[in-house]
Amino acid sequence: MSTQIKCIITDDEPFARKGLQGYIGQIDFLDLRGVCESALELNSLMKKEPVDLLFLDIEMPWLTGIEFLRQLAAPPRVIFTTAYEKYAVQGFELEVLDYLLKPISFDRFLKAANKAFDYFRQQQAAAPAEDYVFVKADNRLEKISFSDILFIEALENYVAIYTREKKIITHLTLKLLQEKLPAAAFIQPHKSYLVAIDKINSIEGNILHIQEYQVPISKYQKEEIMEKIVNSKLLKR
């Protein structure tokens, strides 16, 4: 792996923060970029400091780690650090990399860190150099250029890919397809949609207008989505 894993610690307990800082300091591929006392502080920091991995406590004042993670449109990878086993199912549903129960021993922390290292190394190895993807539709493989995609809609175990010319339905999950797309060019305004930023014609309330189509924006993600669209400098005028 050519680069280090940029990470942030968030925990409302000073002793827990100090312990995690000490552990991270012993692992050469972890690059600590910040330490936060709450999800609200983390929210502010992430707007200034993009990272790869969060070491995230769950039960915190104002906003829990789970609530914070659910409102992110494109969250980094997460390792939960908590004193409570009862959130393990939610952690699984949110596809966190690992779930560490306090008190956390160094050998257990190292195992989680190595799991993160392996994940990011695999992501780098699998990163597509191409600007297209092949999908199976109507018993044939069809090539779709990323630049032709308007948006993608999740349909249970299928997705509908809307392009400039047609609609293609294929047996894939939205998450799997998202991993194949260039992250900087697409946003997820709603759990059921991925949208090409440069294909957005206008925004009205909680609706993205893309040619003749309308795609909803989740009310919990609107501020973050709007910021990404503005910062992309790709929105048509």
Side-chain angles (χ1 to χ4, degrees):
M1 186 168 179
S2 59
T3 58
Q4 293 185 303
I5 301 172
K6 296 180 289 185
C7 58
I8 295 175
I9 294 167
T10 302
D11 199 303
D12 63 329
E13 299 175 3
F15 182 77
R17 293 195 300 271
K18 184 176 180 180
L20 290 173
Q21 282 181 270
Y23 286 174
I24 289 173
Q26 299 301 312
I27 300 174
D28 59 2
F29 57 80
L30 292 180
D31 178 12
L32 184 60
R33 294 301 183 94
V35 179
C36 299
E37 298 181 15
S38 69
L40 295 178
E41 187 178 341
L42 174 61
N43 187 62
S44 298
L45 179 58
M46 284 178 60
K47 295 183 185 304
K48 308 169 190 173
E49 184 71 51
V51 292
D52 307 306
L53 178 66
L54 302 179
F55 291 97
L56 185 62
D57 189 20
I58 295 178
E59 290 205 354
M60 295 182 287
W62 302 107
L63 193 68
T64 69
I66 288 174
E67 290 168 343
F68 172 75
L69 190 54
R70 281 180 172 158
Q71 57 87 38
L72 292 179
R77 304 307 299 178
V78 170
I79 293 175
F80 275 142
T81 57
T82 178
Y84 303 95
E85 294 184 16
K86 62 183 179 181
Y87 298 111
V89 173
Q90 287 108 311
F92 177 78
E93 291 171 349
L94 290 167
E95 299 180 331
V96 300
L97 283 180
D98 211 337
Y99 191 95
L100 301 181
L101 281 175
K102 300 174 183 176
I104 302 166
S105 64
F106 180 72
D107 66 309
R108 182 64 183 89
F109 182 87
L110 180 61
K111 182 178 179 180
N114 284 333
K115 184 185 292 189
F117 179 88
D118 291 341
Y119 170 82
F120 286 109
R121 182 173 58 183
Q122 289 170 6
Q123 290 296 107
Q124 284 188 346
E130 298 85 2
D131 58 357
Y132 60 86
V133 65
F134 278 97
V135 300
K136 188 173 182 180
D138 296 328
N139 296 317
R140 72 174 187 273
L141 285 176
E142 187 151 353
K143 180 180 178 180
I144 304 174
S145 296
F146 295 151
S147 60
D148 286 337
I149 297 174
L150 302 177
F151 67 94
I152 302 165
E153 180 183 9
L155 305 168
E156 295 185 356
N157 294 325
Y158 294 82
V159 295
I161 303 172
Y162 292 77
T163 71
R164 300 173 189 272
E165 306 294 333
K166 56 187 174 180
K167 172 183 174 182
I168 301 163
I169 296 179
T170 183
H171 187 68
L172 284 173
T173 65
L174 195 68
K175 180 172 178 58
L176 184 61
L177 194 52
Q178 184 178 24
E179 291 174 354
K180 298 177 182 295
L181 296 171
F186 287 82
I187 56 172
Q188 188 171 10
H190 184 280
K191 66 179 181 180
S192 299
Y193 292 90
L194 289 172
V195 172
I197 300 175
D198 67 337
K199 303 303 190 302
I200 300 171
N201 297 107
S202 63
I203 305 166
E204 184 179 358
N206 287 335
I207 297 294
L208 299 176
H209 293 272
I210 306 165
Q211 294 191 6
E212 71 270 28
Y213 304 104
Q214 296 182 354
V215 172
I217 303 174
S218 169
K219 64 180 180 179
Y220 301 109
Q221 299 173 187
K222 184 172 182 180
E223 182 179 347
E224 185 176 352
I225 290 298
M226 294 295 288
E227 183 178 346
K228 286 188 176 184
I229 291 172
V230 170
N231 290 342
S232 74
K233 300 180 181 178
L234 294 173
L235 186 59
K236 295 179 185 177
R237 301 186 181 204

